[in-house]
Amino acid sequence: MTTRLTGAAGWLRPLAAPVALLLLALANTSPIWQSRLSAPQYPKGLWLVVYGGRITGDVREINGLNHYIGMRTFGQETVPELGLWWLAIASAAVLVLAGLFLRGKLGLLARVGLWAMPLVVIADIQRWLITFGRDLDPAAALRLEPFVPLAIGPTQVWNFKILALPGPGLILLLFVALLVTLAHRLSGPPSRRSVLLAAAGAAALALVLAGTAVTASAPATAAATATVRADAPATFDLAAAIAAAPAGAELHVPAGRYAGPITLARPIALIAHGDAVLDGGGTGTVLTIAAPGVTVRGLRIERSGGQVEDASGIAVLADGARIEDNVLRDVYVGVLARGTRGLRIVGNTISGPGGAGMLVSLDASHQPGARTTVGDGIWLHDTEGSLVRDNDISGMRDGLYLSYARETLVDTNRIHDLRYALHAMFGADLMVFGNTIERNASGLVLMNTAGVEASRNVITDHRSDATGYGILLKDVRSVRVVENTIARDQVGIRAEGVDRTQTLADVLLNDIAHNVVGVQLFPTAQLVFSRNSFIGNVVNVDTPGAARANGSEWTKSGAGNYWSGYAGYDLDGDRLGDVPHVEGSSAERLVTSAPELRILRSSVAFSILARAERWWNVGQAPRIIDRIPLVAPLVMPLAPLAPAPAAPPRSIADSAAWIGTGLALLAALWALGRVRRAT
């Protein structure tokens, strides 16, 4: 019996060797590391999956997000170790054979090396994550303090939750180390036959690794999808090329003007080469996307039909469309999407019939039968998981109109010279981040929407007397307004129907500056204000229909807000005022209710009256009391509206004409005097 056991144990090493080498071959083709990013605008998450030699998953999306905070991109060129994974597997194969068949310290070192290999890989990944998180470009569009993502475990960055885990490839390496260790401890001395068997397995693995290395080092080849090109516009029939293109094809459109309407009924990529123009001729929708997975890039799309036809430059009726780097002008609606999922609208320029700079009448609406000559730049209806990034929208009715849209990210766009920059109704999970919003009738108009975050936007110069709101919050549930610049508007933030006692309602770290009214709170508005900077507003807080803002809080986590008119002091140097700030008086209410008296707001008499009311409590109670005010702003204030520039200097010819006229008049007067003397 003992002899049989000893004989069986002698076969453990030759059996363990090919099994371990097979596991290494699987590890060579399996993910090394993976990370999932989730946020309200990405509820299904973004995945980054790292293999030996390549990175897959939502790489473009994640690199796009990282670009705005100044983080370098993920890729082979930034992490050169990825191309050496096949060499690491080859080294592991050598360690397997040495750990199984070598005795003494060399065999022990080989087994220790197998256990150490996955730890070294994780340590190297952590090193790169530290470099990526701390080496941020200081000139990036968005400011972010350096951070350290974890190679294994959860990390929180803003509203993104990151979960990083080792991939199956590293787990297989641990199994290999365990198998080699157990086989060595339980087996007897190796035989010549077992060594030959192990050598054959190592040779087979070497062939697999050689193929992997050649594949990793080979230059990128053309995509497997078909590519359709044309040599000259005169010989190119766009409609026929679309009809002939197979699913998955790239259709390259040469420069020229092509007549619409056009419908894409198969998943293809329509890519312009040169100035390729799709002209709708003023009738209907110019380009309709009716198949999932379509890409439209680099085209100029013009002259759709009008309101009666509900026409647009591009109509998206299927999931997964990518609308990138196009120019849409003289269209009723720029991009219209209905019932879609996973839409990407990135890098487009959209303008209406009047072109950039046309401000649409405030009477324009989305109600049936409303008369208007122009529609919205982007209209998303019943959509989910849409990205709107880096577009320039002007001269339309509303820049973005979101109706029943869910999980929408509006990121780093420029939206200007419109009625409403963004108009959202009856949607959920909306993130508005890093946009420049200026010179519209209103900025962000958010109504009947749940789960809204507006962060790091610049919202300025909305000066319409009727609707000049930087941000309007009406019947919004769960809202955060964080780190925005809201300046030179008629009303910085107007809120009604927002209840902080039921859901999140935070207004934090905003620069609310040089507005006529900084914050306007109706009786149904209850928000939390903290660490905001109220600078140079005619009236900081207005409470129409109520004596004071009863439901709102003006401190959070031990800090209030900065008020440029704060008359208190800070004796202990903790940057917090030692006496409360009282905001609001009868005089300020009078100025707010009578716009013609606003000119008195900066007078000495008004200042004396307002201070006297604060000290002696004359008239009604103050609107708000900030009990822990800041004595210095936490954000850099935006400059007030610059005065109109002086008239440009006259040309030399114009000046010479005036000088000549003056000299002629003097000569005439001199001559008249001489005549009088003579007579």
Side-chain angles (χ1 to χ4, degrees):
M1 184 67 179
T2 304
T3 304
R4 291 183 180 179
L5 290 176
T6 303
W11 281 97
L12 283 178
R13 296 187 198 213
L15 289 176
V19 172
L21 295 175
L22 177 61
L23 293 178
L24 287 178
L26 293 176
N28 185 50
T29 58
S30 300
I32 305 169
W33 180 79
Q34 50 199 352
S35 178
R36 181 180 186 271
L37 290 78
S38 60
Q41 66 271 31
Y42 294 108
K44 298 179 181 177
L46 298 175
W47 282 93
L48 195 68
V49 182
V50 178
Y51 290 79
R54 71 186 194 279
I55 300 177
T56 63
D58 303 299
V59 182
R60 179 175 179 179
E61 192 77 25
I62 293 173
N63 282 337
L65 293 171
N66 290 342
H67 166 73
Y68 296 110
I69 64 173
M71 181 184 289
R72 66 181 71 183
T73 59
F74 291 103
Q76 176 70 46
E77 65 283 357
T78 54
V79 187
E81 292 98 315
L82 291 176
L84 302 177
W85 180 242
W86 67 272
L87 185 58
I89 296 296
S91 301
V94 174
L95 293 178
V96 164
L97 298 178
L100 285 173
F101 299 110
L102 291 182
R103 298 182 179 181
K105 292 182 179 180
L106 290 179
L108 177 61
L109 288 176
R111 292 188 292 277
V112 171
L114 286 175
W115 284 105
M117 183 171 290
L119 301 180
V120 171
V121 173
I122 287 295
D124 188 61
I125 292 173
Q126 184 64 73
R127 179 180 70 87
W128 276 110
L129 291 176
I130 293 173
T131 301
F132 275 58
R134 301 191 70 86
D135 186 19
L136 301 178
D137 184 357
L142 305 176
R143 305 180 308 275
L144 179 64
E145 292 296 325
F147 63 99
V148 178
L150 297 178
I152 299 178
T155 305
Q156 181 83 30
V157 181
W158 282 340
N159 67 326
F160 279 88
K161 296 179 180 179
I162 306 171
L163 180 61
L165 297 170
L170 292 189
I171 296 173
L172 287 172
L173 286 184
L174 291 175
F175 279 124
V176 168
L178 179 62
L179 176 62
V180 171
T181 301
L182 292 178
H184 181 272
R185 290 179 62 88
L186 298 177
S187 63
S191 64
R192 181 179 299 179
R193 183 183 301 176
S194 63
V195 173
L196 292 176
L197 182 60
L205 178 62
L207 293 175
V208 173
L209 293 175
T212 303
V214 170
T215 303
S217 61
T221 58
T225 56
T227 300
V228 182
R229 295 180 180 271
D231 297 327
T235 61
F236 184 59
D237 186 336
L238 178 59
I242 292 174
E250 285 187 358
L251 178 55
H252 292 257
V253 183
R257 182 172 289 272
Y258 305 92
I262 292 173
T263 299
L264 302 180
R266 281 189 297 279
I268 66 173
L270 200 63
I271 301 174
H273 275 228
D275 187 18
V277 182
L278 301 185
D279 189 339
T283 303
T285 292
V286 182
L287 177 64
T288 300
I289 296 176
V294 166
T295 296
V296 177
R297 182 182 303 131
L299 296 169
R300 185 150 56 96
I301 298 175
E302 299 179 349
R303 298 204 303 158
S304 75
Q307 179 185 23
V308 175
E309 305 165 281
D310 196 18
S312 58
I314 300 176
V316 184
L317 308 178
D319 296 345
R322 293 179 176 270
I323 313 299
E324 301 172 347
D325 303 322
N326 303 284
V327 175
L328 296 96
R329 64 186 186 188
D330 194 10
V331 289
Y332 180 70
V333 175
V335 178
L336 170 62
R338 297 182 185 275
T340 66
R341 306 294 181 268
L343 172 63
R344 299 291 182 265
I345 305 175
V346 179
N348 303 280
T349 300
I350 304 174
S351 59
M358 184 190 76
L359 186 62
V360 178
S361 169
L362 296 178
D363 295 331
S365 72
H366 299 93
Q367 299 301 320
R371 304 294 297 173
T372 176
T373 59
V374 64
D376 305 309
I378 297 173
W379 182 358
L380 307 181
H381 176 74
D382 187 27
T383 59
E384 182 177 341
S386 301
L387 170 67
V388 181
R389 169 178 291 160
D390 198 26
N391 302 282
D392 188 299
I393 308 174
S394 64
M396 307 295 289
R397 173 172 53 191
D398 296 344
L400 282 85
Y401 178 50
L402 312 179
S403 57
Y404 300 95
R406 302 171 300 282
E407 301 167 11
T408 307
L409 171 59
V410 179
D411 177 10
T412 59
N413 302 277
R414 181 169 181 255
I415 311 173
H416 57 102
D417 301 294
L418 304 149
R419 183 184 72 155
Y420 301 155
L422 186 150
H423 187 187
M425 297 190 66
F426 305 109
D429 299 324
L430 169 63
M431 165 69 83
V432 185
F433 184 87
N435 302 279
T436 299
I437 298 171
E438 57 188 353
R439 299 192 310 273
N440 307 288
S442 291
L444 305 181
V445 179
L446 310 173
M447 309 172 70
N448 300 103
T449 301
V452 175
E453 175 151 350
S455 299
R456 296 196 173 186
N457 303 285
V458 176
I459 305 172
T460 62
D461 302 303
H462 301 94
R463 308 189 69 82
S464 166
D465 287 334
T467 63
Y469 313 125
I471 299 178
L472 170 64
L473 305 174
K474 181 174 174 58
D475 300 322
V476 174
R477 302 176 304 284
S478 186
V479 58
R480 294 180 78 243
V481 179
V482 182
E483 293 189 4
N484 301 281
T485 294
I486 307 169
R488 304 193 297 257
D489 301 315
Q490 189 74 13
V491 178
I493 300 175
R494 169 172 168 158
E496 54 182 306
V498 183
D499 189 352
R500 68 176 179 82
T501 64
Q502 300 295 325
T503 59
L504 185 70
D506 284 350
V507 181
L508 311 173
L509 286 164
N510 300 282
D511 176 21
I512 304 173
H514 309 297
N515 305 285
V516 176
V517 177
V519 174
Q520 190 173 66
L521 302 175
F522 281 76
T524 56
Q526 300 181 19
L527 296 94
V528 177
F529 294 85
S530 177
R531 296 176 173 82
N532 302 287
S533 298
F534 291 86
I535 300 173
N537 302 294
V538 175
V539 175
N540 284 322
V541 181
D542 180 31
T543 56
R548 57 189 301 176
N550 283 322
S552 295
E553 291 285 341
W554 297 91
T555 61
K556 183 175 183 178
S557 302
N561 305 270
Y562 173 75
W563 310 86
S564 57
Y566 178 54
Y569 48 84
D570 175 22
L571 296 180
D572 54 6
D574 62 354
R575 299 174 64 88
L576 301 176
D578 295 337
V579 295
H581 174 73
V582 178
E583 185 67 37
S585 65
S586 299
E588 289 175 342
R589 286 187 181 84
L590 180 62
V591 171
T592 305
S593 60
E596 62 273 11
L597 299 178
R598 287 173 185 161
I599 193 174
L600 302 176
R601 180 66 176 83
S602 58
S603 66
V604 175
F606 180 90
S607 178
I608 293 173
L609 177 59
R611 286 179 179 271
E613 286 191 297
R614 291 186 184 128
W615 283 106
W616 292 319
N617 197 26
V618 176
Q620 295 177 315
R623 290 191 181 95
I624 68 104
I625 299 177
D626 188 342
R627 301 191 181 279
I628 316 177
L630 306 178
V631 296
L634 296 180
V635 291
M636 183 63 67
L638 194 69
L641 185 65
R650 297 183 180 277
S651 66
I652 295 176
D654 200 10
S655 300
W658 279 105
I659 292 172
T661 302
L663 291 175
L665 180 60
L666 290 175
L669 292 175
W670 179 81
L672 181 61
R674 296 286 294 180
V675 170
R676 280 190 169 184
R677 286 183 183 181
T679 57

